Amino acid sequence: MEYTPAEAVWNVRPVRWELAAENEMSRRFYGVLLRWIPFAVKQYGVWDGRPECGHFFGGTFWYQADSAHVSAIFAAMSKLGEYDESVAGVPRSELKRMAVSAIRYMGFTHDTGPADCVRAQGVLPYTSGKKWGGRGDGFFMASQNGRSVAAMACAAWLLWDELDGETKRLVQNVTSSYADRWAAEEPRNGVYYDTQCEENAWTAAGISAAMGMFPDHPHQQEWQAGFTNWAMNAVTTYRDRLAYPSGLIDKTNGLKVTTVTFHPDYTSENHAFVHPSYYCAGTNLRAIHAVFALMSGQPVMESALYNNVPLYERTVKIWSQFDGLNIPVQGQDWWYNRQHERQLTHTILNVLGGDPDAARLARSSLDSIERIQASNNIGALLEENGEECVINRDHGQFAKDLEHGSAYDLAVSYLLHVFGGAGASPSEPAELAGRLSGVHLYPFGGSVIHRTPETFTSFTWRNNVMGLSMPAKGVWNVTPLYASYTGTMKLESSGTLPGSLTNESIIRGVEKEQISPYTDGFGAVVEISRGHGDLKQDVAFVALPDGRSVYVERFRVQKACAVREWQTGTIGIRNESYTAMPELAPGSRTLYMADGERTFRGFYGREADEVRSFGPIPYVNVDHTIGYLLYGTRGVRYVNRHVYPKWKGVEDILVLNDFGDRTFDQPQTLEPSVIVALPNRTAEETAASYGRTHRYDTGRSDLTVLETEGTLVYASFAESDQTVSVRKAADALGTIDLYDGIQTLDADSFVWSGTIPGFRAGYFVSRYSVTEAKGPELRLEFSVNAGQLFVLNHSTEQAVVTIRERATGVTYAAELAAGAFRKFPA
């Protein structure tokens, strides 16, 4: 379609103010934004290119998002809600004035504005002193203006009756030029590396502005068709492509799907990994259409909600921790406190989908948002010293510069509630946590997750190969390093190739994998090639039913090489300081070890990093929140970080297996190391668990067997099945747990015998235990099979044995004559 500049003021669809009604959630969102206003007002600046124009946050951010977002927020708050000038610091009339001036600034500096009107000067060479809108740019850069167009339109629509004719025509030109440019274009296709979900959704958002505002425009029908096409194709799998076919020649009428933007398991990739911010982008970006529809009394179009529910059920809900934040199981390259973004996802599914779980998670997200803001004296949503927190220096992105996007998400949620209602009654947290428990496999996203009500365990074998073992407080305690557990290194042989290609700082893939999901846990075994085949790293990760996990690794040196800064068992430790949430962010973390404790304060900048090494210790506990039992460690090191090349939050690093610098002159196999993670355990409980855990000597470097608190864990890197017998000496015996397989007990030792499958990791859970066994010549054999226990007395004397069923606590006492056989239960 050909864009034609507006000469007259068009008929606008009126806002149905009578439909607006405050409720509990809208008031909470409004309160956060009200407290944010003083901070935002300080970011306002005057632009003298035309009369009565101004901008926010410098007015030169990418795609003009800074002024677009704040103008929408200020417009909404100037027209709606229970405004409190004593909190905001300025009268409502000032909010309206600044919002209108920002609308004018955006209109004049847009591609459709006068040629001499360009944006202000700032730190970004890409945007300073230039137009915005995407003229001359390719699809990615040009279409990305859609979110800003929609936000600007939202502000203008709310204030339409108070805009002069010149300003209205500016808005008409901005919105219609975008819709005209993209409505007839076809959505983009792609799911790997960089899903087109986000691109298709932000294009739909931009088209929705003109489509929603101007019902009598001659292009209205084309805009509706274009919006439907882009929105429908934002969240799609191969099944949708089959269900709504369109070919090169035959075109269907109405709804059609021409893209695949998600894997069949509803994971999707951006920045080369499965990323919560981007698999939720389709849901979040399309929501502005729902705002426009609700506030003008129109039905929300089906295409704007398409696949929101299956995506939410399959990934978003399952990956949500207690405060609604999605745990990034493949790492995070943005800042960790993204509750603003996630609450919007939950709010959409609550208000538009009526999901009680979404209602609960939205409230939980807002709890954290309110408390983080209460910890910042200036009302900021992210960081009080946001201008110091570098996210991307080259792109002019500091924490301060991302404030407006976080606030805008809150404003969209506010408008959804005001015009769409309170939503569902929230589910109970404990009941929700129970329903989310279990094992969730994502074969296309390359991840497996095990949840209990108080823990979250995951392993990823593609994109960023890493494991996570999270306590109840989730990312507030343990952060998702890109190579969590699997570790990082520098190889002299890598030359100039980046670490992402040589699996050094980031492990992008594995040579082979075997994932074994259980009903109540999982086992994973992978082989990783590091460098140019210099090292082979065999890794096993086992999630146990009660939320504990076991990590096993073995390195095989393939050729002479030098390895520098070699560390594995790497755990990110969050170390924030927020005064309003001391149970989550107290400002320090304490390590508890067998020979003492050490406290590390958490803060950003001002001092160099502090590094402390503790040697090869048997266990360590962090803040009475999570413990780690260590076997075969080369040393423990803690990096109390204050200097960050890129800010995500205040994040220390605990290294549980510190190799340091090593040089090898020939191939060899190193001894394996084992880490047992104990979420939600105190230091005292960690020490006690170490005494109840036994690593068996298998006599093989490719087979690990470990017994810990009623579970027998195995990790085999061998190619074929192995029949093994492992022995525990009499001085290690107390209550004896029995597992699937054959076990023998005599006066000196206990031996378990069984078959371990090749290249597998997993566990046996004890169903029975021996609490007492005595006799003058003790030689008992226990066989556990299909849930039944068989006991045979091999001695020539009578033996007495007491058996306890672990699940029920029922005990059985039996006297077995020489050579006698007994089955339990009888």
Side-chain angles (χ1 to χ4, degrees), residues 38 137 256 269 274 359 365 462 475 665 706 792 811:
D137 290 333
K256 63 178 181 178
E269 300 173 25
V274 176
S365 301
R462 190 172 62 80
V475 178
D665 58 7
L706 181 119
L792 176 62
T811 60

Side-chain angles (χ1 to χ4, degrees), residues 43-252:
Q43 316 309 319
Y44 179 77
V46 174
W47 180 71
D48 58 9
R50 289 292 188 275
E52 299 175 0
C53 291
H55 49 65
F56 293 94
F57 291 89
T60 61
F61 195 70
W62 294 96
Y63 316 108
Q64 204 50 68
D66 45 11
S67 296
H69 290 156
V70 184
S71 66
I73 296 164
F74 277 22
M77 300 194 73
S78 72
K79 298 289 287 188
L80 295 160
E82 299 160 1
Y83 192 78
D84 187 340
E85 186 177 329
S86 67
V87 177
V90 294
R92 256 186 166 165
S93 59
E94 268 297 282
L95 291 190
K96 189 180 302 181
R97 183 191 69 80
M98 286 186 282
V100 172
S101 74
I103 293 169
R104 288 175 57 78
Y105 170 74
M106 290 184 285
F108 282 118
T109 59
H110 186 261
D111 289 332
T112 58
D116 65 317
C117 293
V118 294
R119 283 181 281 179
Q121 291 295 324
V123 298
L124 270 177
Y126 315 97
T127 60
S128 295
K130 298 178 182 178
K131 291 283 193 180
W132 72 282
R135 181 178 294 167
D137 290 333
F139 168 68
F140 177 80
M141 297 284 286
S143 66
Q144 198 163 170
N145 289 277
R147 192 184 197 213
S148 299
V149 169
M152 176 189 179
C154 183
W157 200 347
L158 290 168
L159 297 173
W160 194 257
D161 292 340
E162 297 159 68
L163 301 181
D164 61 50
E166 179 184 51
T167 306
K168 288 178 179 179
R169 287 190 294 274
L170 291 172
V171 174
Q172 291 169 181
N173 289 340
V174 170
T175 55
S176 65
S177 67
Y178 187 91
D180 284 343
R181 177 172 180 179
W182 295 110
E185 286 270 350
E186 284 299 313
R188 271 47 175 182
N189 188 70
V191 59
Y192 283 96
Y193 189 83
D194 184 6
T195 175
Q196 295 302 289
C197 163
E198 183 189 33
E199 284 84 337
N200 293 349
W202 70 42
T203 307
I207 297 170
S208 74
M211 180 189 75
M213 291 183 75
F214 307 117
D216 301 330
H217 192 280
H219 294 169
Q220 175 66 212
Q221 186 173 349
E222 288 84 355
W223 291 344
Q224 287 191 32
F227 171 81
T228 298
N229 196 22
W230 285 97
M232 186 79 176
N233 280 277
V235 184
T236 57
T237 70
Y238 80 101
R239 293 178 61 86
D240 305 302
R241 186 72 175 84
L242 293 172
Y244 296 94
S246 61
L248 293 174
I249 299 174
D250 297 326
K251 295 289 185 182
T252 58

Side-chain angles (χ1 to χ4, degrees), residues 5 44 48 173 295 396 571 638 673:
Y44 179 77
D48 58 9
N173 289 340
M295 75 184 200
I571 309 295
Y638 193 85
S673 61

Side-chain angles (χ1 to χ4, degrees), residues 19 63 116 163 167 180 184 326 335 341 344 374 405 416 538 623 795:
L19 299 177
Y63 316 108
D116 65 317
L163 301 181
T167 306
D180 284 343
N326 264 199
W335 58 100
E341 182 182 80
L344 177 55
L416 283 171
D538 300 312
D623 243 29
S795 71

